[in-house]
Structure formats: C-alpha cells, structure tokens
Amino acid sequence: MTAPEAGRGIGSGERAAEQTSTFGFPRDSFRILHVSTGNVCRSPITERLTRHFVHERLGVLGGGLIVESAGTWGHEGAPMETNAETVLAEFGADASGFVGRELLDEHVIRADLVLTATRDHRAQVISMGHSAGLRTFTLKEFTRLVNAIDPATLPSLEEGLVVRSRALVRAAAALRGWLLAPTAEADEVYDPYGAPLTFFRSIGDEIHQALDPVVTALTGVASRA
C-alpha cells in the first residue's frame, strides 16, 4: 500500500461540489473554527493571529474566509485574558471586541475546518457528530500535514481562497494516517490560563510557528517576515 499523493489536483466534478456545504447548502465562504477550553486564552490568540496573518499576506481579511473561536467549556460573554491580549499586541494583532463563546453544535456544523488546541478538544468536537472527523485537527497536527503538501497541487488563489482552502483540508485529511506525531505531546498546545506573561508568550510563539505555514498554504502567499 502506498501513501496518498499529498495534495492532488481536483477535477471539474469536485470543483462543482466546492459550491455546496457539508450539508448541501450553497455557500461561498470558508469558515475556520479554533477551539480550546475556556475560549479566553489559546483559541482567542489563535483566532486573532490567523486574521492578522491573513491580512498581512492579502492586505485584507476577505475572499470568503471567516475566522472564529469557541470553548468546550467556554466562558460565554467573557473577555479575553489580559495576558492573551498582551501577546496579541506584541504580534501586532487586534484583540479588541473579543467575547468568549461556548462551543455549540451550530459552530461545528458551519465550520469547514476546526483547529483545536489539544487532542482532547479534537475528540470532543468529533464526538458532537456532524461529520466533523475529516475536518477537525489539532493545530499542530494540521501544520504537520500541511507541510507535507506540495503547494503546486492546490488550486491557485485566482480560483478563489474558498476553493483553495477546501482542497487543502481534503489533502490534509488524506494524509492523516500516514504522518503521525513523533510523540503524543507534539500535537498539544498547553493551557496558559492563570500563568505568568512569560508562559503566555511561549504559548503565543508556539501558536505563531504552527499558524505561519497554515496561513501560507491557505493564501498561497508566504510571510513577509
């Protein structure tokens, strides 16, 4: 048995399928859902850094891309932790207006890609059903898979950010059983809740390193840093 080709091209029939959602409804957006526990530390950092990095590359957060977050034990209506805001500010990202949310079925149903902080979060999302298994990854797991995909096999940005993003998720899902983590801990982003700013910064750096290749693959544009 041979491993699937990383990121094969898609045919006309598959491109037509790109115009409908998992549940058959027409749509022209691609929704990324970041998930952690309380939705006040890790997933807010990941959400706002994703938005920031996409804006840096494309000059705008648009093209049908929607980025949001929620928590499996989300602090509904809570503000982001102050240390998380500080970390985002140090990256030049906007933390304003954030409000915590508890993860609901509707969030998973709408999401085209779910990126979780830990394997436990991933398991919880998948256990909710909604055919979430093939589009739910830990952040670091998705990074590892994305790094194995040849960007030339993905649709160009001229074909649309939505089409390219959906093709990326399919390619990553096809590789999941072939590219395992070296250790169980390698796919974890640990919770900094209640920790000092120095630990928040280290978590912010981890998230930054994991997100950079993901956003590059989504947009087809490398970081200018």
Short mmCIF file of all heavy atoms in Angstrom, two decimals, residues 130-164:
data_model
loop_
_atom_site.label_atom_id
_atom_site.label_comp_id
_atom_site.label_asym_id
_atom_site.label_seq_id
_atom_site.Cartn_x
_atom_site.Cartn_y
_atom_site.Cartn_z
N HIS A 130 -21.94 15.51 13.32
CA HIS A 130 -21.98 16.49 12.23
C HIS A 130 -20.88 16.24 11.19
O HIS A 130 -20.39 17.18 10.56
CB HIS A 130 -21.88 17.92 12.77
CG HIS A 130 -22.77 18.20 13.93
ND1 HIS A 130 -24.14 18.02 13.86
CD2 HIS A 130 -22.50 18.60 15.21
CE1 HIS A 130 -24.67 18.33 15.05
NE2 HIS A 130 -23.70 18.66 15.87
N SER A 131 -20.46 14.98 11.05
CA SER A 131 -19.44 14.61 10.06
C SER A 131 -18.17 15.44 10.24
O SER A 131 -17.51 15.82 9.25
CB SER A 131 -19.98 14.79 8.63
OG SER A 131 -21.17 14.07 8.44
N ALA A 132 -17.81 15.69 11.49
CA ALA A 132 -16.70 16.60 11.77
C ALA A 132 -15.33 15.94 11.69
O ALA A 132 -14.31 16.64 11.67
CB ALA A 132 -16.87 17.22 13.17
N GLY A 133 -15.26 14.62 11.63
CA GLY A 133 -13.98 13.93 11.74
C GLY A 133 -12.96 14.32 10.70
O GLY A 133 -11.78 14.52 11.02
N LEU A 134 -13.37 14.47 9.44
CA LEU A 134 -12.42 14.74 8.36
C LEU A 134 -12.01 16.20 8.28
O LEU A 134 -11.10 16.54 7.53
CB LEU A 134 -13.01 14.31 7.02
CG LEU A 134 -13.17 12.80 6.81
CD1 LEU A 134 -13.82 12.51 5.47
CD2 LEU A 134 -11.82 12.09 6.91
N ARG A 135 -12.64 17.07 9.06
CA ARG A 135 -12.28 18.48 9.02
C ARG A 135 -11.86 19.02 10.38
O ARG A 135 -11.80 20.24 10.57
CB ARG A 135 -13.44 19.30 8.43
CG ARG A 135 -14.78 19.05 9.07
CD ARG A 135 -15.94 19.57 8.23
NE ARG A 135 -17.20 19.06 8.72
CZ ARG A 135 -17.96 19.68 9.62
NH1 ARG A 135 -17.60 20.86 10.09
NH2 ARG A 135 -19.09 19.14 10.01
N THR A 136 -11.56 18.12 11.31
CA THR A 136 -11.14 18.53 12.64
C THR A 136 -9.75 17.98 12.94
O THR A 136 -9.51 16.77 12.84
CB THR A 136 -12.13 18.03 13.70
OG1 THR A 136 -13.43 18.54 13.41
CG2 THR A 136 -11.72 18.50 15.10
N PHE A 137 -8.84 18.87 13.31
CA PHE A 137 -7.45 18.53 13.58
C PHE A 137 -6.98 19.34 14.79
O PHE A 137 -7.52 20.41 15.06
CB PHE A 137 -6.53 18.91 12.42
CG PHE A 137 -6.97 18.44 11.06
CD1 PHE A 137 -7.98 19.11 10.37
CD2 PHE A 137 -6.36 17.36 10.46
CE1 PHE A 137 -8.38 18.69 9.10
CE2 PHE A 137 -6.76 16.93 9.19
CZ PHE A 137 -7.76 17.60 8.52
N THR A 138 -5.96 18.86 15.48
CA THR A 138 -5.28 19.79 16.37
C THR A 138 -4.50 20.76 15.48
O THR A 138 -4.15 20.43 14.33
CB THR A 138 -4.31 19.10 17.35
OG1 THR A 138 -3.15 18.66 16.65
CG2 THR A 138 -4.97 17.94 18.09
N LEU A 139 -4.22 21.94 16.01
CA LEU A 139 -3.48 22.93 15.22
C LEU A 139 -2.14 22.39 14.76
O LEU A 139 -1.78 22.49 13.57
CB LEU A 139 -3.28 24.20 16.06
CG LEU A 139 -2.35 25.25 15.46
CD1 LEU A 139 -2.88 25.77 14.13
CD2 LEU A 139 -2.14 26.40 16.45
N LYS A 140 -1.40 21.78 15.68
CA LYS A 140 -0.06 21.30 15.32
C LYS A 140 -0.13 20.09 14.38
O LYS A 140 0.74 19.92 13.53
CB LYS A 140 0.73 20.96 16.58
CG LYS A 140 1.14 22.19 17.38
CD LYS A 140 2.02 21.79 18.56
CE LYS A 140 2.52 23.00 19.31
NZ LYS A 140 3.38 22.62 20.47
N GLU A 141 -1.16 19.27 14.53
CA GLU A 141 -1.35 18.16 13.60
C GLU A 141 -1.58 18.70 12.19
O GLU A 141 -0.98 18.21 11.21
CB GLU A 141 -2.55 17.34 14.04
CG GLU A 141 -2.97 16.24 13.08
CD GLU A 141 -4.32 15.64 13.42
OE1 GLU A 141 -5.13 16.30 14.12
OE2 GLU A 141 -4.58 14.50 12.98
N PHE A 142 -2.44 19.70 12.07
CA PHE A 142 -2.74 20.26 10.75
C PHE A 142 -1.49 20.87 10.13
O PHE A 142 -1.23 20.72 8.94
CB PHE A 142 -3.85 21.29 10.87
CG PHE A 142 -4.45 21.68 9.55
CD1 PHE A 142 -5.18 20.77 8.81
CD2 PHE A 142 -4.30 22.97 9.05
CE1 PHE A 142 -5.75 21.12 7.58
CE2 PHE A 142 -4.87 23.33 7.84
CZ PHE A 142 -5.59 22.40 7.10
N THR A 143 -0.68 21.53 10.95
CA THR A 143 0.57 22.11 10.45
C THR A 143 1.47 21.03 9.88
O THR A 143 2.05 21.19 8.80
CB THR A 143 1.30 22.85 11.58
OG1 THR A 143 0.46 23.87 12.10
CG2 THR A 143 2.59 23.47 11.07
N ARG A 144 1.61 19.92 10.61
CA ARG A 144 2.47 18.83 10.15
C ARG A 144 1.99 18.29 8.80
O ARG A 144 2.79 18.03 7.90
CB ARG A 144 2.47 17.71 11.20
CG ARG A 144 3.37 16.53 10.85
CD ARG A 144 3.46 15.54 11.99
NE ARG A 144 2.20 14.85 12.26
CZ ARG A 144 1.40 15.09 13.29
NH1 ARG A 144 1.72 16.03 14.16
NH2 ARG A 144 0.29 14.40 13.46
N LEU A 145 0.69 18.14 8.65
CA LEU A 145 0.13 17.62 7.40
C LEU A 145 0.28 18.63 6.27
O LEU A 145 0.65 18.26 5.14
CB LEU A 145 -1.34 17.26 7.61
CG LEU A 145 -1.62 16.17 8.65
CD1 LEU A 145 -3.12 16.07 8.91
CD2 LEU A 145 -1.05 14.84 8.22
N VAL A 146 0.01 19.89 6.56
CA VAL A 146 0.13 20.93 5.55
C VAL A 146 1.56 21.02 5.02
O VAL A 146 1.79 21.23 3.81
CB VAL A 146 -0.32 22.28 6.13
CG1 VAL A 146 0.18 23.46 5.30
CG2 VAL A 146 -1.85 22.33 6.23
N ASN A 147 2.54 20.85 5.90
CA ASN A 147 3.93 20.93 5.48
C ASN A 147 4.32 19.83 4.49
O ASN A 147 5.34 19.95 3.79
CB ASN A 147 4.85 20.87 6.70
CG ASN A 147 4.91 22.18 7.45
OD1 ASN A 147 4.67 23.25 6.89
ND2 ASN A 147 5.23 22.13 8.74
N ALA A 148 3.53 18.76 4.43
CA ALA A 148 3.82 17.65 3.52
C ALA A 148 3.10 17.78 2.17
O ALA A 148 3.28 16.95 1.29
CB ALA A 148 3.41 16.32 4.17
N ILE A 149 2.28 18.82 2.03
CA ILE A 149 1.50 19.02 0.81
C ILE A 149 2.24 19.95 -0.14
O ILE A 149 2.68 21.03 0.25
CB ILE A 149 0.11 19.58 1.15
CG1 ILE A 149 -0.67 18.59 2.00
CG2 ILE A 149 -0.66 19.93 -0.12
CD1 ILE A 149 -1.94 19.16 2.61
N ASP A 150 2.38 19.53 -1.38
CA ASP A 150 3.01 20.36 -2.40
C ASP A 150 2.05 21.49 -2.78
O ASP A 150 0.97 21.23 -3.31
CB ASP A 150 3.33 19.50 -3.62
CG ASP A 150 4.03 20.29 -4.74
OD1 ASP A 150 4.20 21.52 -4.59
OD2 ASP A 150 4.39 19.67 -5.75
N PRO A 151 2.42 22.74 -2.51
CA PRO A 151 1.50 23.85 -2.83
C PRO A 151 1.10 23.89 -4.30
O PRO A 151 0.01 24.38 -4.62
CB PRO A 151 2.31 25.10 -2.45
CG PRO A 151 3.37 24.62 -1.52
CD PRO A 151 3.68 23.21 -1.91
N ALA A 152 1.95 23.37 -5.17
CA ALA A 152 1.66 23.41 -6.60
C ALA A 152 0.47 22.53 -6.97
O ALA A 152 -0.12 22.69 -8.05
CB ALA A 152 2.89 22.98 -7.40
N THR A 153 0.11 21.60 -6.08
CA THR A 153 -1.03 20.71 -6.36
C THR A 153 -2.36 21.32 -5.92
O THR A 153 -3.41 20.74 -6.18
CB THR A 153 -0.85 19.36 -5.65
OG1 THR A 153 -0.86 19.56 -4.23
CG2 THR A 153 0.47 18.70 -6.06
N LEU A 154 -2.31 22.47 -5.25
CA LEU A 154 -3.53 23.12 -4.79
C LEU A 154 -4.02 24.12 -5.83
O LEU A 154 -3.23 24.66 -6.61
CB LEU A 154 -3.25 23.86 -3.47
CG LEU A 154 -2.85 23.00 -2.28
CD1 LEU A 154 -2.41 23.88 -1.12
CD2 LEU A 154 -3.98 22.07 -1.86
N PRO A 155 -5.32 24.40 -5.84
CA PRO A 155 -5.83 25.44 -6.73
C PRO A 155 -5.15 26.77 -6.45
O PRO A 155 -4.78 27.07 -5.30
CB PRO A 155 -7.32 25.51 -6.38
CG PRO A 155 -7.63 24.18 -5.78
CD PRO A 155 -6.40 23.75 -5.06
N SER A 156 -4.96 27.57 -7.48
CA SER A 156 -4.33 28.88 -7.30
C SER A 156 -5.29 29.83 -6.60
O SER A 156 -6.51 29.61 -6.57
CB SER A 156 -3.92 29.46 -8.65
OG SER A 156 -5.07 29.80 -9.40
N LEU A 157 -4.74 30.92 -6.08
CA LEU A 157 -5.58 31.91 -5.43
C LEU A 157 -6.52 32.57 -6.42
O LEU A 157 -7.60 33.03 -6.04
CB LEU A 157 -4.70 32.97 -4.75
CG LEU A 157 -5.39 33.86 -3.71
CD1 LEU A 157 -5.99 33.03 -2.59
CD2 LEU A 157 -4.42 34.90 -3.15
N GLU A 158 -6.15 32.57 -7.71
CA GLU A 158 -7.03 33.13 -8.73
C GLU A 158 -8.34 32.35 -8.82
O GLU A 158 -9.38 32.88 -9.21
CB GLU A 158 -6.34 33.13 -10.10
CG GLU A 158 -5.29 34.21 -10.28
CD GLU A 158 -4.03 33.95 -9.44
OE1 GLU A 158 -3.77 32.77 -9.12
OE2 GLU A 158 -3.34 34.93 -9.12
N GLU A 159 -8.30 31.07 -8.45
CA GLU A 159 -9.52 30.26 -8.45
C GLU A 159 -10.37 30.51 -7.20
O GLU A 159 -11.49 30.02 -7.11
CB GLU A 159 -9.16 28.77 -8.54
CG GLU A 159 -8.47 28.39 -9.82
CD GLU A 159 -8.16 26.91 -9.89
OE1 GLU A 159 -9.11 26.10 -10.01
OE2 GLU A 159 -6.98 26.55 -9.81
N GLY A 160 -9.83 31.26 -6.27
CA GLY A 160 -10.59 31.63 -5.09
C GLY A 160 -10.01 31.03 -3.82
O GLY A 160 -9.59 29.87 -3.80
N LEU A 161 -10.01 31.84 -2.77
CA LEU A 161 -9.50 31.38 -1.48
C LEU A 161 -10.34 30.23 -0.92
O LEU A 161 -9.81 29.32 -0.28
CB LEU A 161 -9.50 32.56 -0.50
CG LEU A 161 -8.88 32.36 0.88
CD1 LEU A 161 -7.42 31.94 0.76
CD2 LEU A 161 -8.99 33.63 1.70
N VAL A 162 -11.64 30.26 -1.17
CA VAL A 162 -12.52 29.21 -0.66
C VAL A 162 -12.18 27.86 -1.31
O VAL A 162 -12.04 26.84 -0.63
CB VAL A 162 -14.00 29.57 -0.90
CG1 VAL A 162 -14.91 28.40 -0.58
CG2 VAL A 162 -14.38 30.79 -0.06
N VAL A 163 -12.04 27.85 -2.63
CA VAL A 163 -11.72 26.62 -3.35
C VAL A 163 -10.38 26.08 -2.89
O VAL A 163 -10.22 24.87 -2.64
CB VAL A 163 -11.72 26.87 -4.87
CG1 VAL A 163 -11.18 25.66 -5.62
CG2 VAL A 163 -13.12 27.21 -5.35
N ARG A 164 -9.39 26.94 -2.77
CA ARG A 164 -8.05 26.51 -2.34
C ARG A 164 -8.09 25.94 -0.93
O ARG A 164 -7.49 24.90 -0.64
CB ARG A 164 -7.09 27.70 -2.41
CG ARG A 164 -5.65 27.34 -2.01
CD ARG A 164 -4.75 28.55 -2.05
NE ARG A 164 -3.41 28.22 -1.60
CZ ARG A 164 -2.41 27.84 -2.40
NH1 ARG A 164 -2.62 27.74 -3.71
NH2 ARG A 164 -1.22 27.56 -1.90
#
